[in-house]
Amino acid sequence: MSTNTGSTGSGATHPHNGTPRPTPAAAVPSAATAATTSGSDVPSVATVATAPGSDASTAAPAPGASSATPSGETGLSRLGPMIRNFAAPTTLVTALLFFFGWSHAYWFFDYFGVNSTTIGLTTQDYLMRSQDSLFIPLAAGACLFLVYLLGRRVFQEFVVPRMSAAQRRLLVLATLVVGSVLVVAGLVSIVVSSPLRSIVGAPGLCLVGGVVLVVAAVRVRRNDQGGDEPAADVLTAGEWGAVFVLVGVGLFWAVADYSAAVGTGRAIEQVEQFPHQPSVSVYADKRLGLAAPGVTELTCPASDAAYPFRYDGLKLVLQSGNQYLLLPESWNRDGGVAFLLPRSDANRIDFFPPGAVPPAHDCR
């Protein structure tokens, strides 16, 4: 006869073998029981949520609450992604180099009365010419920016602390007025032929300098007013965008003026160096009719001559796009003529040292 063990409290026994049947409620205590158990090391959910004196800032944010903007983000930092999305830096730099090279070439050949589009310059030619236009502006711009940073630091550390509030307001007002005048002068020069245009790069530099002064005055003024915005974000992203556009236009304008002036200056130097450059004789199988002061035509009487005609008294300026740009040795700006000669087997070019007399036409 089997003994009944149901009094153990673990559950009812199996009707056949007497094995205790497990009770789910006993094996896994309920959440309510675990939360209210006396002396338990695990605090209840209700206790954590409603404990008196708890810090509400440590609690999870309520559903739908908006997250705060990072404190380190400023209007200037938000402008960076906008610029990167607008244009890739490499593409923008290449386009600027191409334009400055084109400006250099256009005014170089314009001095000789030649349209630069007829020369057949390549993209590589324009990019190479842009280096001549950008070397001095980049070096001067870097030096001026360094002087600005050093001067700004010295001014803030040694001059501003010694100024009274009235003097500080007067300085801000004077800076704002001067900057506004420079900005207006630069913008007016876009549509009106002002005296600034006679100075290389002056209109664009006036625009840049005026914008910098206005921005400095506005930032100081807003900081003094004690607004809600931090010192690093007194200008919004839209305001910084307008500042960068105006400064970019001014710098572009100034460098474009300088590249044009450099192109013209290089052309003048080329003409001045003619006495020290090799002389050129052009041989041709047909009469070319290169008529200009100082240019002589020699004819070979032999009927079997490969190049019966020869032209002396020329200087080679450039060879590009299978074309030669030739000028007479005595070329001048007032009445000089330029020759554009195709490069082909129908003609030949010989070079002679400066001042050398070409030999007699040997009918070769």
Side-chain angles (χ1 to χ4, degrees), residues 79-108:
L79 184 64
M82 300 179 188
I83 297 177
R84 289 194 296 269
N85 293 333
F86 176 74
T90 304
T91 304
L92 181 61
V93 170
T94 303
L96 290 176
L97 291 177
F98 181 87
F99 176 81
F100 295 138
W102 172 87
S103 178
H104 182 286
Y106 177 87
W107 291 105
F108 176 85

Short mmCIF file of all heavy atoms in Angstrom, two decimals, residues 79-108:
data_model
loop_
_atom_site.label_atom_id
_atom_site.label_comp_id
_atom_site.label_asym_id
_atom_site.label_seq_id
_atom_site.Cartn_x
_atom_site.Cartn_y
_atom_site.Cartn_z
N LEU A 79 26.66 75.60 -41.02
CA LEU A 79 26.84 76.04 -42.40
C LEU A 79 27.76 75.11 -43.18
O LEU A 79 27.65 75.01 -44.39
CB LEU A 79 27.42 77.46 -42.41
CG LEU A 79 27.58 78.12 -43.78
CD1 LEU A 79 26.22 78.31 -44.44
CD2 LEU A 79 28.29 79.46 -43.65
N GLY A 80 28.68 74.41 -42.48
CA GLY A 80 29.62 73.52 -43.16
C GLY A 80 28.95 72.46 -44.01
O GLY A 80 29.27 72.33 -45.21
N PRO A 81 28.01 71.67 -43.46
CA PRO A 81 27.34 70.66 -44.30
C PRO A 81 26.59 71.27 -45.48
O PRO A 81 26.50 70.66 -46.54
CB PRO A 81 26.37 69.99 -43.31
CG PRO A 81 26.98 70.21 -41.97
CD PRO A 81 27.64 71.56 -42.04
N MET A 82 26.06 72.48 -45.31
CA MET A 82 25.36 73.12 -46.43
C MET A 82 26.32 73.39 -47.59
O MET A 82 25.99 73.15 -48.75
CB MET A 82 24.72 74.43 -45.97
CG MET A 82 23.72 74.29 -44.86
SD MET A 82 23.04 75.90 -44.38
CE MET A 82 22.08 75.43 -42.93
N ILE A 83 27.52 73.88 -47.26
CA ILE A 83 28.50 74.18 -48.31
C ILE A 83 28.96 72.89 -48.98
O ILE A 83 29.11 72.82 -50.20
CB ILE A 83 29.69 74.95 -47.72
CG1 ILE A 83 29.22 76.30 -47.16
CG2 ILE A 83 30.79 75.15 -48.75
CD1 ILE A 83 30.32 77.09 -46.50
N ARG A 84 29.19 71.84 -48.18
CA ARG A 84 29.62 70.57 -48.77
C ARG A 84 28.56 69.96 -49.67
O ARG A 84 28.88 69.33 -50.67
CB ARG A 84 30.00 69.59 -47.65
CG ARG A 84 31.28 69.94 -46.92
CD ARG A 84 31.76 68.78 -46.08
NE ARG A 84 30.82 68.45 -45.03
CZ ARG A 84 30.87 68.97 -43.80
NH1 ARG A 84 31.81 69.86 -43.50
NH2 ARG A 84 30.00 68.63 -42.89
N ASN A 85 27.30 70.16 -49.32
CA ASN A 85 26.24 69.64 -50.18
C ASN A 85 26.06 70.49 -51.43
O ASN A 85 25.53 70.01 -52.44
CB ASN A 85 24.91 69.61 -49.40
CG ASN A 85 24.94 68.59 -48.27
OD1 ASN A 85 25.66 67.60 -48.33
ND2 ASN A 85 24.16 68.84 -47.23
N PHE A 86 26.47 71.75 -51.39
CA PHE A 86 26.30 72.63 -52.54
C PHE A 86 27.29 72.30 -53.65
O PHE A 86 26.95 72.22 -54.81
CB PHE A 86 26.44 74.09 -52.11
CG PHE A 86 26.38 75.06 -53.24
CD1 PHE A 86 25.17 75.35 -53.86
CD2 PHE A 86 27.52 75.68 -53.71
CE1 PHE A 86 25.10 76.25 -54.91
CE2 PHE A 86 27.47 76.58 -54.76
CZ PHE A 86 26.25 76.86 -55.36
N ALA A 87 28.55 72.13 -53.30
CA ALA A 87 29.58 71.87 -54.32
C ALA A 87 30.73 71.11 -53.69
O ALA A 87 31.13 71.42 -52.57
CB ALA A 87 30.09 73.19 -54.92
N ALA A 88 31.23 70.11 -54.40
CA ALA A 88 32.39 69.37 -53.94
C ALA A 88 33.62 70.28 -53.98
O ALA A 88 33.81 71.02 -54.95
CB ALA A 88 32.61 68.14 -54.80
N PRO A 89 34.45 70.26 -52.95
CA PRO A 89 35.61 71.16 -52.92
C PRO A 89 36.52 70.98 -54.13
O PRO A 89 37.00 71.98 -54.70
CB PRO A 89 36.33 70.77 -51.62
CG PRO A 89 35.26 70.18 -50.76
CD PRO A 89 34.32 69.49 -51.71
N THR A 90 36.77 69.75 -54.56
CA THR A 90 37.67 69.54 -55.70
C THR A 90 37.10 70.14 -56.98
O THR A 90 37.80 70.81 -57.74
CB THR A 90 37.92 68.04 -55.90
OG1 THR A 90 38.44 67.48 -54.68
CG2 THR A 90 38.91 67.80 -57.02
N THR A 91 35.81 69.94 -57.21
CA THR A 91 35.17 70.50 -58.40
C THR A 91 35.20 72.02 -58.37
O THR A 91 35.47 72.68 -59.39
CB THR A 91 33.72 70.01 -58.50
OG1 THR A 91 33.71 68.57 -58.49
CG2 THR A 91 33.06 70.51 -59.76
N LEU A 92 34.94 72.59 -57.21
CA LEU A 92 34.92 74.06 -57.10
C LEU A 92 36.30 74.64 -57.33
O LEU A 92 36.46 75.64 -58.05
CB LEU A 92 34.40 74.45 -55.71
CG LEU A 92 34.28 75.95 -55.43
CD1 LEU A 92 33.32 76.60 -56.41
CD2 LEU A 92 33.82 76.19 -54.00
N VAL A 93 37.33 74.02 -56.75
CA VAL A 93 38.69 74.53 -56.92
C VAL A 93 39.12 74.43 -58.38
O VAL A 93 39.74 75.36 -58.93
CB VAL A 93 39.66 73.75 -56.00
CG1 VAL A 93 41.11 74.08 -56.34
CG2 VAL A 93 39.39 74.09 -54.54
N THR A 94 38.80 73.31 -59.04
CA THR A 94 39.17 73.15 -60.45
C THR A 94 38.48 74.20 -61.31
O THR A 94 39.10 74.77 -62.23
CB THR A 94 38.79 71.74 -60.93
OG1 THR A 94 39.44 70.76 -60.10
CG2 THR A 94 39.23 71.53 -62.36
N ALA A 95 37.21 74.46 -61.04
CA ALA A 95 36.50 75.48 -61.81
C ALA A 95 37.11 76.86 -61.61
O ALA A 95 37.24 77.63 -62.57
CB ALA A 95 35.02 75.49 -61.41
N LEU A 96 37.50 77.19 -60.38
CA LEU A 96 38.13 78.49 -60.13
C LEU A 96 39.48 78.59 -60.84
O LEU A 96 39.80 79.63 -61.43
CB LEU A 96 38.30 78.70 -58.62
CG LEU A 96 37.00 78.91 -57.83
CD1 LEU A 96 37.32 78.99 -56.34
CD2 LEU A 96 36.27 80.16 -58.29
N LEU A 97 40.27 77.53 -60.77
CA LEU A 97 41.57 77.55 -61.46
C LEU A 97 41.39 77.73 -62.97
O LEU A 97 42.14 78.47 -63.61
CB LEU A 97 42.34 76.27 -61.16
CG LEU A 97 42.85 76.08 -59.73
CD1 LEU A 97 43.51 74.71 -59.59
CD2 LEU A 97 43.81 77.18 -59.34
N PHE A 98 40.41 77.04 -63.52
CA PHE A 98 40.16 77.17 -64.96
C PHE A 98 39.77 78.60 -65.32
O PHE A 98 40.24 79.15 -66.32
CB PHE A 98 39.06 76.20 -65.38
CG PHE A 98 38.75 76.22 -66.85
CD1 PHE A 98 39.47 75.43 -67.73
CD2 PHE A 98 37.75 77.04 -67.36
CE1 PHE A 98 39.18 75.45 -69.10
CE2 PHE A 98 37.47 77.09 -68.71
CZ PHE A 98 38.20 76.29 -69.58
N PHE A 99 38.91 79.21 -64.51
CA PHE A 99 38.47 80.57 -64.83
C PHE A 99 39.63 81.55 -64.74
O PHE A 99 39.79 82.41 -65.62
CB PHE A 99 37.35 81.00 -63.88
CG PHE A 99 36.94 82.43 -64.09
CD1 PHE A 99 36.06 82.78 -65.10
CD2 PHE A 99 37.44 83.44 -63.28
CE1 PHE A 99 35.68 84.09 -65.31
CE2 PHE A 99 37.07 84.77 -63.47
CZ PHE A 99 36.19 85.09 -64.49
N PHE A 100 40.43 81.47 -63.68
CA PHE A 100 41.55 82.41 -63.55
C PHE A 100 42.58 82.20 -64.66
O PHE A 100 43.18 83.16 -65.15
CB PHE A 100 42.19 82.26 -62.18
CG PHE A 100 41.28 82.64 -61.04
CD1 PHE A 100 41.24 81.88 -59.89
CD2 PHE A 100 40.47 83.75 -61.13
CE1 PHE A 100 40.40 82.22 -58.84
CE2 PHE A 100 39.62 84.11 -60.09
CZ PHE A 100 39.58 83.34 -58.95
N GLY A 101 42.78 80.95 -65.08
CA GLY A 101 43.66 80.69 -66.21
C GLY A 101 43.10 81.24 -67.50
O GLY A 101 43.84 81.79 -68.33
N TRP A 102 41.79 81.11 -67.68
CA TRP A 102 41.17 81.68 -68.88
C TRP A 102 41.30 83.19 -68.88
O TRP A 102 41.59 83.80 -69.93
CB TRP A 102 39.69 81.29 -68.92
CG TRP A 102 38.93 82.00 -70.01
CD1 TRP A 102 38.80 81.61 -71.30
CD2 TRP A 102 38.24 83.25 -69.89
NE1 TRP A 102 38.05 82.53 -72.00
CE2 TRP A 102 37.69 83.54 -71.16
CE3 TRP A 102 38.02 84.13 -68.84
CZ2 TRP A 102 36.94 84.69 -71.39
CZ3 TRP A 102 37.27 85.28 -69.08
CH2 TRP A 102 36.75 85.55 -70.34
N SER A 103 41.07 83.84 -67.73
CA SER A 103 41.21 85.30 -67.66
C SER A 103 42.63 85.73 -67.98
O SER A 103 42.85 86.72 -68.70
CB SER A 103 40.80 85.79 -66.26
OG SER A 103 40.95 87.18 -66.14
N HIS A 104 43.61 85.01 -67.46
CA HIS A 104 45.01 85.31 -67.74
C HIS A 104 45.29 85.22 -69.23
O HIS A 104 45.90 86.12 -69.84
CB HIS A 104 45.89 84.35 -66.95
CG HIS A 104 47.36 84.58 -67.11
ND1 HIS A 104 48.05 84.24 -68.26
CD2 HIS A 104 48.29 85.09 -66.27
CE1 HIS A 104 49.32 84.55 -68.13
NE2 HIS A 104 49.49 85.07 -66.93
N ALA A 105 44.84 84.13 -69.87
CA ALA A 105 45.10 83.94 -71.30
C ALA A 105 44.35 84.95 -72.15
O ALA A 105 44.89 85.46 -73.15
CB ALA A 105 44.71 82.52 -71.71
N TYR A 106 43.12 85.26 -71.78
CA TYR A 106 42.32 86.19 -72.59
C TYR A 106 43.01 87.55 -72.68
O TYR A 106 43.16 88.12 -73.78
CB TYR A 106 40.93 86.34 -71.98
CG TYR A 106 40.06 87.33 -72.70
CD1 TYR A 106 39.29 86.94 -73.79
CD2 TYR A 106 40.01 88.67 -72.29
CE1 TYR A 106 38.50 87.85 -74.47
CE2 TYR A 106 39.22 89.58 -72.96
CZ TYR A 106 38.46 89.17 -74.05
OH TYR A 106 37.69 90.08 -74.71
N TRP A 107 43.46 88.08 -71.56
CA TRP A 107 44.06 89.41 -71.56
C TRP A 107 45.49 89.39 -72.08
O TRP A 107 45.99 90.40 -72.58
CB TRP A 107 43.98 90.02 -70.17
CG TRP A 107 42.57 90.33 -69.78
CD1 TRP A 107 41.79 89.64 -68.90
CD2 TRP A 107 41.77 91.40 -70.27
NE1 TRP A 107 40.55 90.20 -68.82
CE2 TRP A 107 40.51 91.30 -69.66
CE3 TRP A 107 41.99 92.43 -71.18
CZ2 TRP A 107 39.48 92.19 -69.92
CZ3 TRP A 107 40.96 93.33 -71.44
CH2 TRP A 107 39.74 93.20 -70.81
N PHE A 108 46.16 88.25 -71.98
CA PHE A 108 47.49 88.13 -72.56
C PHE A 108 47.42 88.28 -74.08
O PHE A 108 48.16 89.07 -74.68
CB PHE A 108 48.10 86.78 -72.17
CG PHE A 108 49.44 86.53 -72.80
CD1 PHE A 108 50.60 87.01 -72.22
CD2 PHE A 108 49.54 85.78 -73.97
CE1 PHE A 108 51.85 86.77 -72.81
CE2 PHE A 108 50.78 85.52 -74.55
CZ PHE A 108 51.93 86.03 -73.96
#
